[in-house]
Amino acid sequence: MKVMVPVKRVVDYNVKVRVKSDGTGVETANVKMSMNPFDEIGIEEALRLKEAGAATEVIAVSCGTAACQETLRTALALGADRAILVETDAELQPLAVAKLIRALVEKEQPRLAIVGKQAIDDDCNQTGQMLSALLGWSQATFASKVKVEGDKLVVTREVDGGLETVSISLPAVVTTDLRLNEPRYVTLPNIMKAKKKPLEVLKPDALGVDVTPRLITLKVSDPPTRKAGVKVPDAKTLVEKLKNEAKVIS
Amino acid sequence: MSILVIADHDNQALKGATRNTIAAASEIGGDVVVLVAGGGCQAAAQAAAAVAGVSKVLLADSPLYKDGLPENLAAFVVGLAGGGQYSHVLASATAFGKSVAPRIAALLDVAQISEIISVESADTFVRPIYAGNAFATVQSKDKVKVITVRATGFDAAAAGGGSGTVESVPAGSDSGLSTLLGRELTNSDRPELTAAKVIVSGGRGMGSAEAFKVLEPLADKLGAAMGASRAAVDAGYVPNDWQVGQTGKIVAPELYFAVGISGAIQHLAGMKDSRVIVAINKDEEAPIFSVADYGIVGDLFQVVPELIKELG
């Protein structure tokens, strides 16, 4: 079974983003970029399936500018077998990405796509579900445990009140939650090896996908800021303030 | 103009967030139609019909929808909304809504707009990006707008006072793609985290699972829900459905206690819209103090028992 894992290049999770003064977006020039953390978990899960003998090949794919090659090299250094970049400078929204990945799925015929549950830049949480719908596949979002059982997957999902376990038919899309696994580190020898692994570059046109955005971002602004309040010396003063000043307890 | 709201429910009752989503639908304007798709979900449909602002409830009662699995449900909604009957399809930004709404959008070949926090007009909405560190105002040109609604952005519609009609609709077909094997839900007498008026959360500073017991009497006194930072969940102190933050639950209670939580941006993203924030931390430089209305610098194992005593 081939496994496909889409990876997105995003502003590193440790960077405090700044809104551009002209309100067109956030500052991404000279900012550290990394693989979306949920996608790293996706790569790790695919590698574990391969190591357990359940997967035969792990294909990392990305959609975006030429710089995404760097993200794909990271995926290869982690252990993915090969990589495909759909290269475009156009703004890509989740529906367009899902369509591009569907085209790659049709080309490569994986039986499983492991997708990060959300990208930490646009926080959309859509691409995996959209991909699954476009392919007519089953889906299990927010996975914290994945087990292959014949032609089915048993997936434990993180839901609002606790955990839920579903059995879904392959082929399937699984989206990763934080506690699915702890990704391994990239080692220097593996970075060197990754340079020799195949990385194919395609254009959206070659896949016959129209990536025109459906949503127009009118502006991006700073959220209202919260001012720091006061430090109080003890529990007694705190209770007094909560009762008489904030009036949140009686 | 009609708006279809997909109810999140457990067949007996509506999940709290559904009423916030109905409020968002009312703000967009037009007839608000609520779809209650479930198995043996008559009670939930009646509850939906009583919510203020609801004009009609579509009841799809079938074993296919009993467990809220997305494949059959999304296809069914597309059958209902695919002919342009609805200008908007709304779901709550809950685990359920987030699983099903993007599927619906993709099948309708439209964008999905995630976690809106305000309605500017019928086609323009505000949503947080980058863990709430920026707000994007987005406009949709699609014929149907498929949207998930962040509950903290809208005051819940009243549970009573509505007079919607209930209309049964026949179920769709079975894709046979998925089945539910079981659920392990956290049983608690406390209020639900996302609906609680008061929340007491602990972080890595708690140091152990046992230490969380120190917070229980405080939560008892205040009738509070209990939450945690990602660090505390990752350390295994508490179950994962307690997590408040960018990738956990987004909450905005009247009063939020952050105990032993340093205040990573991922955590702040989940709670900074709370009305009053109290931080208790021994590190006076902890970033949590920059958003807290009231802070106490000190050892939580001393401060919390004192606090409980002061609350009487």
Side-chain angles (χ1 to χ4, degrees), chain A residues 99 124 132 141 214 226 245, chain B residues 99 103 109 114 274 293-294:
Chain A
K99 287 179 178 178
C124 272
S132 171
T141 46
R214 302 299 187 84
R226 243 192 126 94
E245 194 176 271
Chain B
S99 290
R103 273 192 96 88
D109 193 28
S114 294
S274 305
D293 299 279
Y294 302 107

Side-chain angles (χ1 to χ4, degrees), chain A residues 36-187:
Chain A
N36 180 42
F38 290 101
D39 303 345
E40 228 179 309
I41 294 171
I43 291 282
E44 176 66 34
E45 196 63 18
L47 296 175
R48 289 186 189 188
L49 288 174
K50 190 181 169 196
E51 285 157 2
T56 50
E57 189 183 31
V58 177
I59 309 165
V61 301
S62 192
C63 305
T65 64
C68 297
Q69 288 201 23
E70 193 189 334
T71 317
L72 286 170
R73 289 289 170 203
T74 304
L76 294 170
L78 285 164
D81 297 292
R82 60 194 172 92
I84 306 171
L85 171 63
V86 182
E87 191 186 317
T88 173
D89 291 333
E91 179 197 346
L92 293 176
Q93 293 179 351
L95 182 62
V97 174
K99 287 179 178 178
L100 291 171
I101 297 171
R102 172 180 60 177
L104 295 177
V105 165
E106 283 164 354
K107 193 166 169 281
E108 296 291 339
Q109 300 286 314
R111 301 258 294 155
L112 174 62
I114 307 180
V115 185
K117 78 163 177 179
Q118 85 196 57
I120 60 165
D121 50 4
D122 60 27
D123 282 335
C124 272
N125 196 332
Q126 299 174 8
T127 305
Q129 296 89 314
M130 286 182 155
L131 174 64
S132 171
L134 293 174
L135 289 163
W137 287 8
S138 61
Q139 81 175 35
T141 46
F142 322 140
S144 64
K145 198 170 162 195
V146 177
K147 217 167 117 197
V148 182
E149 288 190 354
D151 61 348
K152 290 192 187 311
L153 290 182
V154 174
V155 182
T156 304
R157 306 176 53 228
E158 297 197 6
V159 295
D160 293 332
L163 297 172
E164 174 178 298
T165 304
V166 291
S167 166
I168 59 173
S169 314
L170 286 167
V173 174
V174 169
T175 79
T176 62
D177 217 319
L178 284 173
R179 282 161 284 271
L180 181 57
N181 60 50
E182 265 189 54
R184 64 197 65 187
Y185 292 102
V186 175
T187 61

Side-chain angles (χ1 to χ4, degrees), chain B residues 204-277:
Chain B
R204 197 200 296 274
M206 300 304 298
S208 70
E210 291 70 44
F212 264 81
K213 296 209 185 325
V214 173
L215 300 182
E216 282 175 10
L218 177 60
D220 289 342
K221 274 255 179 328
L222 296 163
M226 291 186 69
S229 67
R230 179 183 163 186
V233 175
D234 282 352
Y237 301 164
V238 292
N240 54 47
D241 58 304
W242 286 30
Q243 186 184 322
V244 171
Q246 180 185 15
T247 60
K249 296 206 169 73
I250 311 288
V251 299
E254 289 287 299
L255 177 58
Y256 188 92
F257 281 87
V259 184
I261 293 177
S262 63
I265 49 176
Q266 292 87 347
H267 185 73
L268 301 186
M271 46 64 81
K272 68 181 173 190
D273 292 329
S274 305
R275 190 161 86 75
V276 175
I277 297 173

Side-chain angles (χ1 to χ4, degrees), chain B:
Chain B
M1 192 164 76
S2 284
I3 299 175
L4 183 65
V5 172
I6 302 164
D8 188 355
H9 62 89
D10 63 4
N11 293 313
Q12 303 304 311
L14 297 178
K15 299 272 178 70
T18 301
R19 288 194 286 119
N20 304 76
T21 303
I22 291 169
S26 298
E27 215 169 296
I28 294 167
D31 276 345
V32 178
V33 178
V34 179
L35 170 66
V36 177
C41 56
Q42 188 74 37
Q46 293 302 336
V51 175
V54 173
S55 62
K56 187 161 77 174
V57 172
L58 299 178
L59 168 62
D61 199 337
S62 160
L64 292 183
Y65 311 126
K66 177 170 169 282
D67 300 318
L69 297 177
E71 296 90 345
N72 286 335
L73 183 57
F76 177 61
V77 173
V78 169
L80 289 177
Q85 300 90 326
Y86 300 98
S87 55
H88 299 72
V89 176
L90 269 57
S92 305
T94 53
F96 164 79
K98 289 192 275 198
S99 290
V100 74
R103 273 192 96 88
I104 295 168
L107 294 173
L108 291 172
D109 193 28
V110 299
Q112 194 237 270
I113 308 162
S114 294
E115 306 222 12
I116 64 162
I117 53 167
S118 89
V119 173
E120 303 291 291
S121 73
D123 67 2
T124 305
F125 310 93
V126 179
R127 55 178 306 266
I129 54 175
Y130 290 92
N133 287 302
F135 283 0
T137 305
V138 296
Q139 185 176 40
S140 164
K141 292 292 183 195
D142 286 318
K143 56 189 188 308
V144 184
K145 282 89 176 149
V146 180
I147 294 168
T148 61
V149 176
R150 183 176 284 190
T152 56
F154 301 87
D155 291 331
S163 53
T165 54
V166 178
E167 180 186 319
S168 285
V169 286
S173 55
D174 185 4
S175 67
L177 290 172
S178 58
T179 46
L180 177 75
L181 299 181
R183 289 199 174 112
E184 287 169 56
L185 300 183
T186 315
N187 281 317
S188 172
D189 297 334
R190 298 187 193 285
E192 192 199 333
L193 196 50
T194 51
K197 291 216 157 35
V198 182
I199 294 173
V200 174
S201 283
R204 197 200 296 274
M206 300 304 298
S208 70
E210 291 70 44
F212 264 81
K213 296 209 185 325
V214 173
L215 300 182
E216 282 175 10
L218 177 60
D220 289 342
K221 274 255 179 328
L222 296 163
M226 291 186 69
S229 67
R230 179 183 163 186
V233 175
D234 282 352
Y237 301 164
V238 292
N240 54 47
D241 58 304
W242 286 30
Q243 186 184 322
V244 171
Q246 180 185 15
T247 60
K249 296 206 169 73
I250 311 288
V251 299
E254 289 287 299
L255 177 58
Y256 188 92
F257 281 87
V259 184
I261 293 177
S262 63
I265 49 176
Q266 292 87 347
H267 185 73
L268 301 186
M271 46 64 81
K272 68 181 173 190
D273 292 329
S274 305
R275 190 161 86 75
V276 175
I277 297 173
V278 173
I280 300 169
N281 204 299
K282 64 181 178 198
D283 173 12
E284 64 176 318
E285 301 295 324
I288 192 75
F289 288 118
S290 69
V291 299
D293 299 279
Y294 302 107
I296 295 186
V297 179
D299 179 1
L300 70 96
F301 296 101
Q302 280 172 18
V303 175
V304 172
E306 277 167 30
L307 190 55
I308 293 161
K309 210 172 91 200
E310 289 296 332
L311 286 166

